Amino acid sequence: MRQSILLALCVSSAMALSACQKPKDEGEDVERALADLNVIDESNLNDIMLTVGDADEAASYFQGAVKSNPDRIDLQRGLGQSLVRAKRPTEAVGTWKKVVSLPGATNADRVSLADALIRAGDWDQAKVELDKVPPTHETFRRYRLEAMIADSREDWKKADSFYETAVGLTTNPATVLNNWGYSKLTRADYKGAEDLFSQSLGYDSTRFTTKNNLVLARGAQRKYDLPVIKMTQIERAQLLHTLALSAIKQGDVTTGKGLLQEAIDTHPQHFEAASRALEALESNVSNG
């Protein structure tokens, strides 16, 4: 309906103008009006596909668009972003390589290529691409990727520096703080990890992954009480289960059994995983 109204307005405007012009200009005015309308509608559709559209559907849309206009860098970018959203990183790599080869490619496009390469598991090539980005391109996304690559190489000094820079370049560093905390967790810096996970939850208290990571960091320090954080009843049961397994792993079996029972009692439904773990534990104790 909206398109029909716009089309009618554009055509009627063009016809009104033609009254003051030579007859041979009428067709040009109408074509120009229709072309403007198509640009408006295409732009809106592209934005919708990049944000609220189904990822695979968006990828199909942009694949069709770039087939007709292979040198349109905006459409190639849309395809690359859609393929990443659709969890098709190998295809996304090919698209972003096309993007960086086109006139008008930016440093941000090369960062997107590096991101796709990381998702595809090609960490070495991702570093090669990021090394091509000048140091003056200081963005949150660039430094987040730099930190992840440094982590993969166990270059902890660089990783910490990049994570710290990334945190300073965004107003909501919840995800990067979680990643940084996980990095500290893998290095057995449990106190440092706990602090970073707590900071992350201060920015976004809804992320269960971060809550679970926080409990893991505390459990590794033999802190077997749950932290004071916002959680649902189901999340509380799941976190108690995580804490129980952490205690058992460290040899604190009695504490682990108590936490498993508390997890079972807390969960509003039957907690199958915790029940199986407790049964296995009691079976091993009785057989031992």
Side-chain angles (χ1 to χ4, degrees):
M1 176 64 74
R2 171 182 164 277
Q3 185 168 345
S4 299
I5 294 170
L6 284 172
L7 180 57
L9 288 172
C10 290
V11 173
S12 61
S13 297
M15 292 178 66
L17 286 170
S18 69
C20 304
Q21 298 171 344
K22 296 179 180 179
K24 66 184 180 68
D25 292 332
E26 180 178 325
E28 293 178 6
D29 289 333
V30 174
E31 288 177 6
R32 188 180 301 113
L34 290 173
D36 290 344
L37 176 62
N38 287 338
V39 169
I40 293 169
D41 283 351
E42 179 193 18
S43 177
N44 288 342
L45 183 56
N46 290 349
D47 290 342
I48 290 170
M49 285 296 181
L50 284 173
T51 54
V52 299
D54 174 78
D56 286 310
E57 184 179 324
S60 296
Y61 164 77
F62 282 108
Q63 282 171 334
V66 300
K67 189 174 182 179
S68 302
N69 301 278
D71 294 328
R72 281 267 305 269
I73 195 168
D74 60 327
L75 297 178
Q76 291 284 357
R77 284 176 180 140
L79 177 57
Q81 292 171 39
S82 298
L83 289 169
V84 167
R85 282 182 58 216
K87 296 181 171 54
R88 293 155 63 180
T90 303
E91 294 173 74
V93 167
T95 300
W96 283 111
K97 284 182 177 178
K98 171 70 174 178
V99 171
V100 299
S101 73
L102 291 172
T106 65
N107 290 322
D109 293 325
R110 196 167 295 279
V111 171
S112 292
L113 171 56
D115 179 86
L117 285 162
I118 287 174
R119 293 172 189 272
D122 194 345
W123 293 81
D124 290 338
Q125 190 58 41
K127 186 178 188 310
V128 170
E129 294 300 331
L130 280 181
D131 286 346
K132 295 177 184 177
V133 179
T136 52
H137 184 72
E138 297 184 313
T139 65
F140 164 73
R141 194 178 184 207
R142 188 257 178 89
Y143 284 109
R144 181 177 65 85
L145 297 181
E146 294 276 20
M148 292 168 64
I149 290 173
D151 256 345
S152 72
R153 295 173 169 237
E154 298 187 357
D155 189 341
W156 309 130
K157 185 176 180 180
K158 276 189 176 181
D160 287 341
S161 176
F162 287 137
Y163 277 125
E164 185 175 9
T165 302
V167 167
L169 291 172
T170 179
T171 57
N172 187 1
T175 56
V176 73
L177 284 168
N178 177 68
N179 290 352
W180 193 1
Y182 190 79
S183 173
K184 295 273 191 179
L185 199 60
T186 61
R187 308 177 215 173
D189 180 0
Y190 303 125
K191 182 62 174 68
E194 180 183 358
D195 291 342
L196 288 166
F197 292 138
S198 295
Q199 289 179 51
S200 176
L201 289 171
Y203 287 97
D204 185 353
S205 62
T206 65
R207 289 173 57 83
F208 179 75
T209 298
T210 306
K211 296 175 188 179
N212 202 58
N213 286 340
L214 174 59
V215 167
L216 285 171
R218 289 173 59 85
Q221 300 171 75
R222 286 189 158 87
K223 295 180 179 179
Y224 296 135
D225 57 320
L226 289 180
V228 181
I229 56 175
K230 184 178 179 181
M231 67 186 85
T232 66
Q233 188 175 351
I234 291 177
E235 285 179 334
R236 181 179 180 82
Q238 292 170 329
L239 294 174
L240 285 166
H241 179 234
T242 296
L243 204 54
L245 297 182
S246 181
I248 293 165
K249 182 179 179 181
Q250 295 182 106
D252 297 328
V253 178
T254 302
T255 299
K257 286 177 63 177
L259 288 167
L260 283 173
Q261 187 60 60
E262 188 177 353
I264 294 167
D265 294 341
T266 299
H267 203 289
Q269 290 93 36
H270 176 63
F271 196 168
E272 181 63 28
S275 297
R276 283 201 312 267
L278 184 58
E279 288 172 9
L281 197 61
E282 290 177 339
S283 177
N284 287 337
V285 170
S286 63
N287 292 336

